Amino acid sequence: EAQVTQNPRYLITVTGKKLTVTCSQNMNHEYMSWYRQDPGLGLRQIYYSMNVEVTDKGDVPEGYKVSRKEKRNFPLILESPSPNQTSLYFCASSIRQGAREKLFFGSGTQLSVL
Amino acid sequence: RKEVEQDPGPFNVPEGATVAFNCTYSNSASQSFFWYRQDCRKEPKLLMSVYSSGNEDGRFTAQLNRASQYISLLIRDSKLSDSATYLCVVRAGAGGAGNNRKLIWGLGTSLAVNP
């Protein structure tokens, strides 16, 4: 089954404790992206990747890191989480970054930073 | 002015009703337009792309008005299962940073279909 798999689904952590949210897709997609979704602010892009070893900042990259060592995986790293990073996170992928390409989303990670 | 604006609703309609949502966008160079559906706390899923000539998919009809810079979604014969938030999404036109002609997401319109 074609899918984007995110883990964990829920995560509660404390300020400053490094964490990684994993994202994997099995569709051989070139393009992958991370979003966060907050009430009143909608979906905002954190980082994106056009292909292996090609990543770039989105609209809200501060406090986040990503890597794309393999085509299928695009982990999101919070080196020192802070409470303002409490949010619902989505990973997404598409076959390429084209005008009409459909985005496939993972099921989301609800992160709470205490 | 926000780049993509939607009426947040909620729209409460009875089963079988016809309901329409509008979405306005500010960048006249925008290239592509979409409606995504999102159930509460779940991932967005593409409902339909919006084409210049308008397009229909079953009970759903999408239209684009470039002159007035808005897109619309019409849902006919509403079902209980249509209850969700509908996100208007616009892809920036040429000239965006790098190759990331980014998607700009509206905040969504909430629809509740009641028995």
Side-chain angles (χ1 to χ4, degrees):
Chain A
E1 181 190 352
Q3 59 186 4
V4 178
T5 303
Q6 262 181 260
N7 280 298
R9 181 70 180 92
Y10 300 95
L11 180 58
I12 301 174
T13 190
V14 295
T15 299
K17 186 176 181 183
K18 181 179 178 179
L19 65 91
T20 300
V21 184
T22 62
C23 175
S24 180
Q25 50 90 7
N26 62 0
M27 296 170 278
N28 202 36
H29 284 173
E30 289 183 356
Y31 181 86
M32 297 186 75
S33 180
W34 275 102
Y35 289 89
R36 60 178 289 174
Q37 187 173 31
D38 302 285
L41 296 175
L43 276 156
R44 295 180 292 168
Q45 190 181 55
I46 303 170
Y47 269 94
Y48 66 96
S49 170
M50 303 290 279
N51 214 325
V52 176
E53 302 291 3
V54 181
T55 64
D56 209 343
K57 297 177 181 178
D59 296 317
V60 288
E62 295 78 22
Y64 304 94
K65 284 173 58 177
V66 293
S67 68
R68 188 92 182 271
K69 296 189 173 71
E70 309 160 283
K71 201 169 190 178
R72 62 184 294 128
N73 294 325
F74 191 45
L76 180 70
I77 302 154
L78 285 71
E79 294 271 4
S80 183
S82 61
N84 65 11
Q85 292 178 300
T86 293
S87 187
L88 178 58
Y89 291 86
F90 289 106
C91 178
S93 73
S94 66
I95 191 163
R96 69 183 64 83
Q97 173 65 323
R100 292 211 168 274
E101 296 301 339
K102 172 183 174 180
L103 270 181
F104 293 81
F105 282 85
S107 53
T109 297
Q110 179 63 60
L111 172 65
S112 295
V113 183
L114 306 176
Chain B
R1 181 184 174 187
K2 289 182 182 171
E3 291 181 272
V4 175
E5 288 200 76
Q6 297 182 250
D7 180 344
F11 285 60
N12 285 286
V13 303
E15 269 187 292
T18 295
V19 61
F21 309 136
N22 282 341
C23 164
T24 59
Y25 60 95
S26 61
N27 185 350
S28 60
S30 298
Q31 285 191 333
S32 309
F33 309 88
F34 310 89
W35 284 102
Y36 276 73
R37 172 200 166 121
Q38 185 175 26
D39 294 293
C40 188
R41 310 302 287 172
K42 296 206 171 172
E43 73 273 23
K45 293 182 180 177
L46 180 66
L47 179 65
M48 57 198 303
S49 300
V50 186
Y51 299 108
S52 296
S53 55
N55 47 300
E56 190 173 307
D57 182 2
R59 297 181 294 109
F60 299 86
T61 301
Q63 293 197 314
L64 167 65
N65 185 320
R66 283 193 183 271
S68 300
Q69 293 180 209
Y70 77 84
I71 67 174
S72 64
L73 177 68
L74 181 78
I75 306 175
R76 290 182 299 279
D77 188 23
S78 300
K79 311 290 185 192
L80 296 176
S81 57
D82 294 333
S83 298
T85 296
Y86 291 84
L87 302 171
C88 171
V89 189
V90 175
R91 187 180 293 281
N99 288 318
N100 187 34
R101 296 182 183 181
K102 66 176 185 179
L103 293 174
I104 303 167
W105 297 75
L107 297 184
T109 297
S110 175
L111 172 66
V113 181
N114 305 305

